[in-house]
Amino acid sequence: MPDIYTSDWYEAVRDSINVKVAEMQGVPEGTWHVAIDIVGDGRSPYVNQGAERNFVVRIEDGRCAWYREVDGADPGVRLDFRFRGPAEEFDRIAAGLLDPIDAALRGTIKARGDMRFLMRQAEHVQVLLEAYTDGVETLWPDGRPPYDGESA
Amino acid sequence: MEFFDIMPMIRDFGLEALGLRTVMPEAQAAITFADGRPPVVLHRPDLLDRTHASIARYSGTDADLWVELKKRAIGLQDLLATGLYNLPTEATMADLTALLEGVFGDLGITPDFATKSIKVVIDELFETPELRALLYRATVEWGYPVDQAGSGVAFLTFIMWTLGNWKMVRGGTHALAKTMTQACYREGVDLIENSDVEKVIIKDGRAVGVVTRGREIRAEKCVASNADVRQTLLDLVGEDHLSPLWAKRAHAFRYGPSHVLGTPMFCLHEAPDYKSAKWDPDVNRCFYTMVGFDGPDDTIRYIRDAYSGRIPMPAAGLWVNSLWDRAQAPAGRHTATGWYFLPPASALTGAEWEDVRSTFNERFIDVWHAAAPNMTRDNIIAHRLYTPDQMEHKNRMFEGDFSNGEFAPDQLGTNRPFPEASSYRTEIDGLYFCGPSAFPGGGVHAACGYNAYKAIAEDLGLPSPVVTERGY
Amino acid sequence: MKQVCDVVIIGAGHNGLTLGAYLARSGLDVVVLERRHEEGGGLCTEELTRPGFLHNVHANYHTFVDMAPAITDLEVRENGVEYVRPEVQMASIFDDGTALTIHTDLDKTCESMARFSETDAETFRRLHTEAHGFVDLLLGTLMYQPPMSVKELTRALAAFGVEERTEFLSVRLRRETINQFLDQHFTNDRIKAHLAFHGAVCGYTNDVAGLAIGFPLLIGKIDNWHLCLGGSHRLAHALWRDLAHHGGTLISDAEVASIQVEDGRAVGVRLTTGEEISARRAVASTVDVEQTLLEFVDPTDLSPELRTRVANDVVHKDWSLFSVHAAMSELPEYTAAEFDPDVNRAWVVNLGYASTDDLDDDWRLIRKGGLPDPRPNAAVNSLYDPTDAPDGCYTGLLRQFAPYDLHGGGAGQWEGMGRWYAQRCLDVWRRHAPNLEANTFIDWAPFTPLDISRKLVNMVRGDWMMGEISLDNLLDQRPLPELGEYRTPIDRLYLAGSTQHPHGFITFGPGYNALQIMADDLDIDPWWRVI
Ligand SMILES: Cc1cc2nc3c(=O)[nH]c(=O)nc-3n(C[C@H](O)[C@H](O)[C@H](O)COP(=O)(O)OP(=O)(O)OC[C@H]3O[C@@H](n4cnc5c(N)ncnc54)[C@H](O)[C@@H]3O)c2cc1C
């Protein structure tokens, strides 16, 4: 059982995605790069306040090819989508406490990129999200959300 | 617009590729009469035989002389252009005499013409009253007060060159401004509208920026003012930054009455069809047509009235641009615009101007109808008059003077706006004039801006805009 | 004039200029041709009354500021635009002297609503907060992307289970009117009237089935109304500046007469003056479909079926706008200020619609060509823009919903009626603000629906939205299903104006979305998509 946001954890997420996608029909062909910006909010113990952790995920023909933690400004690839929000929100999603669609609808996690494509691939996107939210048993070495109002 | 062929900016910035398009109507200036007498029609420089025919209807001698004078004036174009697009130089009496003798001597023009007023020059040269009336009126609009002694040379050179040399900008005059703006945008100039400049910031005797709408804009190199002299020096700089001499000069600078016009605008069904057209249909397709003048006497009275602060008789110079440019009126309609020669803004109270605005066009329409029977009230869809007080307000052309400074010998040439300031530089380091208060004055020639750039370029070590072949 | 370029764009409204500036920034040689002497189309500011009074002849309210990508991509502010977001955005004044105000501060809006209904105020807070949350998503999905079909949208919303998450994004909204939406969620007539009025000013008529689907987006930006300092035309200048600075050329007084087609491909245009400009890569038209496909394109280059469809099936808005532009020496002081002092600072004031029935009655009348008893809305920009009038004076605007064709004699009848109807509108204003005596109006000028079409010929029949706003004329159905993707049957001829998704209004959407399609077709590197 991997610790949250470690390479092991992401690999587990990736595997879980790919298992699910393997069962799907009509996944979109092509390659996409998705940025995930997790912004320290003073509540999550996994990202320092004011700091950010930036990840890039590469999707190839619906499957997750790799993910990388990158150094802020230059992801080294041309991005197609970006999801950005406070760390606690991402933590809660990973812990299965918050529905990512809800987070997007409330605007706490901002989505950028070709929304039309995301809408058209709704079923596939749902699978990716599910893998992220409950595909992996996650360990929370510094405490798990909800953070009950205490500051980290 | 008479300067298009010589205006540097048009070529230097490729304004034609940016959309500047012009038309040059064949018949250029005319006078027409309520009693249906033949008109006098002046044509383009390449159609002098038609002009000759028109004047010859009244006088063969006048026609011959006109054509000769005009040819000489056309030949002076390079000289005039070099004069306009350079910093002013002192013309001595000897220079003028030499010019008159050299260019016009064989036509019986003697050196003493240089000391005469334009009216006297016109009267001595031409016998036809109708032609004289046309020339008086054209002169006040395009150049100089007709009664001013010593302006005779200007008539023979500048006015004669100007007359009938007019191009029209397709889409309206503003289209020229648009192409200039586009050139500025392309070069990276910021144009910030609705921004009254309140102050020029002076630091250690240097102009270092301006304040507009309470905000500072810093200028590392210089500040140039297109505003008139008095506003620039007294309001924006402030007397405390001026020497007593400059303050005195600024206070003494005068506006109007030389270039004060009112602009009537008419939306028409039909273009005017003049009684005089039965002699010469060209008058109906003439660029600039004078209406409401009977002869030299009432024309002179008209001019003198306006100069002395009285509303003159309703008479106008008019143009119907839609005859050549469908973009200037809806399909099947016409747009007429004109100029009344009017007194300076301060000659009348606000209420009196309001009254002029609501009555003067009506009076003119009666006069117009007398000269062109189809100019009935039914033919006029709407009209409006734009008066000198409004020009003062809208464009800060003080007194409604489109040159922002009277055309008088002590305010012209190297005296413009005053002798110490005639190089576009001011006594404040880094502050320049680039508007019509500076040499050579009002008119769409862009010479004030071009020459100001030369002065600035020299001071700041920027490239010179001069093109050797054109001489400026 | 330039004779060859890469892309010719017909019409220099904000969509034409936006598309042009993006393409110029992409390194293409662009020429934008404009029929009028000024660029901007609906972004038109003129001194209609007296010198110094800047009247926004068409668009006055900029509601997509900081939402449209073009604002930042084209550096609109750096190019000279200054926006103000009035604190008191809107008001409705009712005959009994009460009034409702919409503020940029949500608490204040809710306080004002609570004076009419506390539950409605709570509902509004909930709706507004939710809508604010998803407004970005909606903009990204529904405005600044080429369109999806309603079917696709419905499917996606179902897949994401959106319906269970917010009552305001229910898929059944696609069958409902704004009135129905309001009835389901609100109780107070006046609050409903105000919200419906607000929708109408945005072009969304409250009694049209299906428009409820757009309502949450409208609510999400109800407090995002911006005023362009110095007049709306300043935005046109900024877009033009960006275009020119990146090497593009705007040519005014250039009315396009025809589009040249060779081997099924658009290769240039000819002007009414006979001048020609060829386009190496593409031609994009931002004017009405009728001009583009019936007048510009030779009949032999288009199928007769499509010509018939364009002639018969393109639907225009069934109401237009009548305006009165006023030069004033005083600001209105409303009697209702006793009830709510903020009405005197409100930017847009609804004078008279007190229920959705009031609006519905007027729509019914207007659709039959009737002229309603005026219930105009008033805006005095000078409250927030000191530069739009001479010192001590104010620039005012009244707008009234009105038919284009008047019953009995068509639009021509407006000719003689403008001043009379304007006077009636002014009378209503004065009834609500008695300090506006006749002499406080230094001058005023009517601007009729007929004038709209005369000034902007692409606004066919006074259609300021350039196509009806109804569900069967939105998204990929706009202006016709076969023309819904910005492409036309003629290769390299694109439609990029308000006839296309999303619709009219100062949205920047059609130009921006057409750009996406053109970028794909012309292989243009989409630098603006960098995220
Ligand atoms: C009275 C009124 C009030 C409005 N109020 C608002 C408001 O407050 N807020 C808001 O957001 N919107 C408002 N609108 C709507 C808004 O103005 C338009 O929806 C918007 O201008 C459309 O932009 P566009 O670029 O698609 O077209 P336009 O702005 O119409 O531009 C099209 C351009 O194409 C030109 N053209 C037409 N035919 C030719 C041709 N043959 N050749 C060359 N050029 C041609 C036209 O002259 C015009 O300049 C209002 C409109 C009106 C009429």
Side-chain angles (χ1 to χ4, degrees):
Chain A
M1 286 209 292
D3 286 359
I4 181 82
Y5 304 140
T6 57
S7 356
D8 288 349
W9 183 76
Y10 265 106
E11 264 155 34
V13 173
R14 182 194 63 193
D15 295 344
S16 143
I17 287 175
N18 292 346
V19 169
K20 294 197 182 200
V21 171
E23 295 161 9
M24 281 188 75
Q25 307 262 307
V27 289
E29 283 173 22
T31 303
W32 289 271
H33 293 104
V34 183
I36 297 171
D37 300 338
I38 306 182
V39 182
D41 52 7
R43 295 176 56 80
S44 163
Y46 302 100
V47 187
N48 293 335
Q49 168 138 36
E52 285 186 19
R53 292 181 72 177
N54 309 96
F55 298 90
V56 174
V57 181
R58 177 180 165 100
I59 310 282
E60 269 175 17
D61 298 338
R63 289 174 176 70
C64 178
W66 50 254
Y67 73 88
R68 242 173 236 161
E69 183 154 9
V70 292
D71 180 15
D74 183 15
V77 289
R78 188 143 186 173
L79 295 170
D80 300 290
F81 297 96
R82 184 186 289 282
F83 297 93
R84 182 180 177 83
E88 184 182 14
E89 296 281 305
F90 280 104
D91 295 358
R92 290 175 62 213
I93 291 172
L97 300 172
L98 172 64
D99 184 286
I101 300 293
D102 272 343
L105 284 175
R106 281 191 295 111
T108 48
I109 290 187
K110 299 267 181 220
R112 291 199 60 185
D114 184 346
M115 290 301 134
R116 185 165 77 142
F117 178 79
L118 287 193
M119 297 285 278
R120 284 186 168 155
Q121 304 304 333
E123 287 87 356
H124 181 240
V125 174
Q126 275 293 80
V127 167
L128 300 188
L129 293 175
E130 277 164 25
Y132 196 92
T133 44
D134 57 14
V136 181
E137 295 270 340
T138 303
L139 287 182
W140 301 86
D142 299 319
R144 74 179 277 142
Y147 299 121
D148 297 330
E150 303 146 33
S151 193
Chain B
M1 304 253 172
E2 56 273 32
F3 300 104
F4 275 14
D5 294 337
I6 57 176
M7 204 197 269
M9 185 169 183
I10 293 185
R11 260 147 293 280
D12 293 353
F13 291 89
L15 298 193
E16 271 147 0
L18 296 182
L20 177 64
R21 291 165 290 163
T22 57
V23 177
M24 193 170 193
E26 295 185 349
Q28 289 263 314
I31 187 162
T32 173
F33 302 102
D35 60 8
R37 257 176 297 163
V40 177
V41 185
L42 309 180
H43 292 77
R44 293 197 311 226
D46 58 327
L47 300 169
L48 286 183
D49 50 333
R50 279 162 68 183
T51 306
H52 187 276
S54 174
I55 300 176
R57 214 175 258 121
Y58 284 103
S59 155
T61 2
D62 277 3
D64 291 346
L65 180 62
W66 175 270
V67 169
E68 267 317 308
L69 285 174
K70 185 70 193 173
K71 283 184 183 156
R72 312 288 163 98
I74 294 167
L76 291 176
Q77 174 158 310
D78 286 349
L79 190 75
L80 288 168
T82 319
L84 280 175
Y85 296 105
N86 273 305
L87 271 58
T89 48
E90 191 88 54
T92 62
M93 199 40 96
D95 298 334
L96 295 181
T97 312
L99 179 75
L100 287 179
E101 279 188 331
V103 181
F104 302 101
D106 62 320
L107 300 176
I109 288 169
T110 48
D112 63 329
F113 269 70
T115 59
K116 294 178 180 174
S117 74
I118 291 181
K119 178 173 183 309
V120 171
V121 168
I122 292 172
D123 291 348
E124 287 185 9
L125 291 174
F126 302 108
E127 60 185 19
T128 309
E130 287 77 7
L131 178 60
R132 286 184 191 167
L134 182 156
L135 293 177
Y136 297 160
R137 165 73 205 218
T139 300
V140 290
E141 264 168 27
W142 274 278
Y144 299 81
V146 285
D147 285 323
Q148 197 175 87
S151 50
V153 178
F155 175 78
L156 288 167
T157 53
F158 183 66
I159 307 281
M160 278 304 289
W161 172 78
T162 304
L163 278 173
N165 209 17
W166 299 311
K167 286 190 175 165
M168 185 187 99
V169 184
R170 286 253 306 273
T173 306
H174 187 61
L176 171 61
K178 298 228 71 151
T179 57
M180 288 174 138
T181 302
Q182 184 143 272
C184 285
Y185 284 162
R186 184 161 288 186
E187 300 298 323
V189 176
D190 278 329
L191 267 149
I192 311 181
E193 297 95 344
N194 301 74
S195 295
D196 239 331
V197 171
E198 291 137 25
K199 202 170 119 114
V200 173
I201 308 166
I202 314 281
K203 216 175 137 209
D204 305 327
R206 238 196 106 70
V208 293
V210 297
V211 179
T212 171
R213 287 205 274 126
R215 276 190 320 218
E216 283 191 8
I217 299 179
R218 289 273 159 179
E220 304 263 313
K221 306 268 183 186
C222 73
V223 175
S225 174
N226 198 153
D228 68 295
V229 166
R230 243 148 77 174
Q231 214 198 147
T232 304
L233 294 179
L234 301 177
D235 300 344
L236 304 184
V237 169
E239 251 177 273
D240 44 336
H241 292 291
L242 296 178
S243 66
L245 175 70
W246 277 62
K248 192 176 101 188
R249 296 282 205 218
H251 279 291
F253 192 71
R254 305 179 310 278
Y255 302 83
S258 42
H259 284 166
V260 181
L261 301 169
T263 310
M265 295 165 257
F266 303 93
C267 310
L268 306 177
H269 288 286
E270 286 176 21
D273 180 8
Y274 293 102
K275 287 180 189 164
S276 297
K278 70 169 180 277
W279 299 96
D280 183 351
D282 282 355
V283 72
N284 282 349
R285 285 189 61 83
C286 182
F287 194 10
Y288 181 83
T289 307
M290 295 171 197
V291 180
F293 303 94
D294 193 53
D297 294 343
D298 67 345
T299 309
I300 278 293
R301 198 174 337 109
Y302 168 90
I303 294 168
R304 289 179 185 157
D305 275 347
Y307 276 162
S308 45
R310 287 187 295 273
I311 295 290
M313 65 182 190
L318 294 167
W319 54 96
V320 185
N321 287 358
S322 47
L323 286 169
W324 298 275
D325 181 7
R326 293 310 328 168
Q328 297 197 37
R333 307 275 162 87
H334 285 285
T335 302
T337 313
W339 285 331
Y340 301 134
F341 199 55
L342 288 178
S346 64
L348 272 68
T349 64
E352 285 167 336
W353 281 123
E354 195 66 60
D355 184 56
V356 170
R357 277 193 291 275
S358 51
T359 58
F360 202 69
N361 274 353
E362 291 294 336
R363 291 175 55 204
F364 175 71
I365 292 168
D366 291 335
V367 170
W368 204 3
H369 180 236
N374 69 333
M375 283 298 111
T376 58
R377 288 200 159 55
D378 281 348
N379 190 32
I380 297 172
I381 302 161
H383 64 84
R384 184 173 283 200
L385 172 58
Y386 185 51
T387 50
D389 57 321
Q390 291 181 311
M391 289 189 208
E392 174 165 296
H393 199 87
K394 184 167 174 142
N395 290 342
R396 300 275 162 88
M397 289 175 173
F398 287 90
E399 296 290 7
D401 173 355
F402 73 65
S403 275
N404 246 329
E406 186 185 358
F407 259 42
D410 64 330
Q411 291 196 161
L412 282 173
T414 51
N415 291 332
R416 194 165 183 87
F418 48 87
E420 296 77 10
S422 70
S423 69
Y424 303 87
R425 299 176 178 90
T426 68
E427 64 169 353
I428 314 275
D429 245 4
L431 177 66
Y432 298 83
F433 293 125
C434 65
S437 287
F439 174 81
V444 180
H445 40 56
C448 311
Y450 184 73
N451 293 343
Y453 173 72
K454 279 192 184 168
I456 293 169
E458 203 176 292
D459 294 355
L460 301 182
L462 302 174
S464 158
V466 174
V467 176
T468 320
E469 308 86 79
R470 75 177 175 217
Y472 53 94
Chain C
M1 202 170 81
K2 231 187 163 104
Q3 274 146 10
V4 189
C5 63
D6 291 328
V7 179
V8 164
I9 296 173
I10 305 171
H14 82 297
N15 281 310
L17 291 169
T18 295
L19 175 61
Y22 272 102
L23 291 174
R25 278 178 178 255
S26 306
L28 273 73
D29 185 0
V30 181
V31 170
V32 184
L33 299 169
E34 169 53 48
R35 173 185 172 272
R36 296 190 63 240
H37 67 297
E38 278 291 319
E39 80 293 348
L43 297 171
C44 171
T45 306
E46 287 178 5
E47 295 177 334
L48 283 181
T49 55
R50 298 285 174 105
F53 291 90
L54 306 184
H55 301 284
N56 283 334
V57 181
H58 304 127
N60 196 46
Y61 314 114
H62 299 231
T63 65
F64 288 89
V65 174
D66 298 327
M67 295 181 166
I71 302 252
T72 40
D73 288 347
L74 303 179
E75 299 178 278
V76 158
R77 286 195 171 86
E78 292 75 0
N79 276 311
V81 167
E82 292 164 89
Y83 276 121
V84 178
R85 185 171 161 226
E87 271 165 18
V88 189
Q89 294 251 303
M90 254 175 265
S92 277
I93 290 182
F94 307 107
D95 281 344
D96 60 1
T98 59
L100 186 75
T101 44
I102 304 288
H103 302 251
T104 49
D105 178 339
L106 177 62
D107 291 337
K108 286 194 180 156
T109 305
C110 292
E111 269 168 41
S112 168
M113 286 190 175
R115 296 175 77 177
F116 294 87
S117 158
E118 293 201 5
T119 43
D120 283 2
E122 270 323 300
T123 309
F124 181 79
R125 183 185 292 280
R126 205 156 44 81
L127 170 57
H128 183 268
T129 310
E130 282 199 20
H132 242 239
F134 52 64
V135 79
D136 263 5
L137 272 183
L138 287 187
L139 288 167
T141 317
L142 288 178
M143 298 286 298
Y144 301 111
Q145 283 291 343
M148 273 184 279
S149 66
V150 174
K151 215 167 113 200
E152 283 177 309
L153 266 175
T154 312
R155 223 193 70 209
L157 289 178
F160 286 131
V162 169
E163 187 131 16
E164 298 102 66
R165 294 182 166 91
T166 163
E167 62 194 295
F168 303 123
L169 284 181
S170 154
V171 287
R172 95 188 120 73
L173 294 181
R174 68 170 199 261
R175 284 187 296 272
E176 293 177 355
T177 63
I178 290 175
N179 283 341
Q180 285 169 306
F181 182 96
L182 289 167
D183 288 340
Q184 285 154 18
H185 298 289
F186 293 89
T187 59
N188 182 276
D189 277 349
R190 292 173 176 193
I191 291 176
K192 288 194 243 177
H194 184 87
L195 296 177
F197 158 78
H198 154 256
V201 177
C202 296
Y204 286 66
T205 321
N206 48 304
D207 66 351
V208 173
L211 292 190
I213 198 169
F215 201 64
L217 179 59
L218 291 180
I219 295 294
K221 61 180 198 59
I222 192 171
D223 51 6
N224 196 47
W225 289 39
H226 286 69
L227 177 155
C228 184
L229 272 189
S232 291
H233 189 58
R234 285 280 293 273
L235 172 60
H237 277 249
L239 294 171
W240 172 31
R241 183 183 189 280
D242 202 67
L243 168 82
H245 189 56
H246 292 93
T249 309
L250 162 77
I251 306 205
S252 314
D253 306 290
E255 180 170 15
V256 172
S258 62
I259 295 174
Q260 277 129 321
V261 176
E262 275 171 22
D263 301 328
R265 180 181 170 144
V267 294
V269 301
R270 181 182 292 126
L271 307 186
T272 48
T273 51
E275 292 155 296
E276 292 184 3
I277 303 176
S278 26
R280 293 185 204 98
R281 313 279 303 271
V283 174
S285 170
T286 68
V287 307
D288 49 301
V289 212
E290 291 91 330
Q291 265 198 100
T292 308
L293 294 182
L294 301 182
E295 289 177 32
F296 298 163
V297 174
D298 193 276
T300 56
D301 289 318
L302 217 58
S303 74
E305 294 75 34
L306 185 57
R307 287 178 56 86
T308 315
R309 290 269 286 149
V310 171
N312 299 337
D313 300 340
V314 167
V315 232
H316 290 288
K317 244 189 130 31
D318 54 12
W319 54 268
S320 184
L321 293 165
F322 175 85
S323 311
V324 190
H325 296 277
M328 303 163 73
S329 61
E330 277 189 44
L331 287 170
E333 288 167 22
Y334 294 103
T335 321
E338 274 179 39
F339 178 81
D340 182 348
D342 285 337
V343 293
N344 283 346
R345 292 193 304 127
W347 185 23
V348 195
V349 182
N350 157 32
L351 299 169
Y353 289 111
S355 69
T356 48
D357 286 347
D358 285 350
L359 281 152
D360 295 348
D361 289 345
D362 278 1
W363 303 135
R364 269 192 296 274
L365 184 67
I366 289 171
R367 286 179 188 129
K368 283 188 281 182
L371 207 49
D373 285 337
R375 282 188 265 219
N377 52 83
V380 180
N381 287 7
S382 320
L383 273 169
Y384 293 94
D385 181 1
T387 72
D388 85 343
D391 287 346
C393 295
Y394 310 93
T395 299
L397 168 64
L398 288 181
R399 285 240 154 97
Q400 167 68 41
F401 308 131
Y404 175 76
D405 276 323
L406 288 165
H407 181 70
Q413 281 188 102
W414 276 114
E415 199 77 271
M417 283 173 62
R419 292 196 72 80
W420 167 79
Y421 196 52
Q423 188 69 65
R424 290 190 57 199
C425 292
L426 288 169
D427 288 344
V428 175
W429 203 4
R430 292 166 59 186
R431 206 174 69 228
H432 290 284
N435 73 315
L436 299 181
E437 289 167 22
N439 63 6
T440 53
F441 293 100
I442 301 164
D443 201 353
W444 50 268
F447 198 83
T448 70
L450 180 62
D451 293 330
I452 294 176
S453 292
R454 281 180 175 158
K455 210 174 187 96
L456 298 175
V457 294
N458 53 299
M459 294 192 183
V460 179
R461 299 171 39 80
D463 181 357
W464 55 290
M465 276 295 193
M466 285 175 72
E468 179 59 296
I469 305 291
S470 62
L471 205 51
D472 52 11
N473 198 37
L474 286 173
L475 299 164
D476 64 340
Q477 304 294 300
R478 187 177 178 86
L480 292 173
E482 56 270 50
L483 298 172
E485 279 272 346
Y486 310 91
R487 297 187 183 94
T488 67
I490 293 168
D491 190 23
R492 301 297 159 101
L493 173 63
Y494 297 90
L495 299 173
S498 299
T499 58
Q500 306 306 117
H501 169 74
H503 48 53
F505 231 54
I506 305 305
T507 66
F508 304 83
Y512 181 80
N513 296 343
L515 170 77
Q516 314 307 318
I517 300 288
M518 289 175 72
D520 288 349
D521 289 2
L522 306 181
D523 225 354
I524 296 166
D525 178 31
W527 52 266
W528 57 89
R529 284 191 209 146
V530 170
I531 50 175

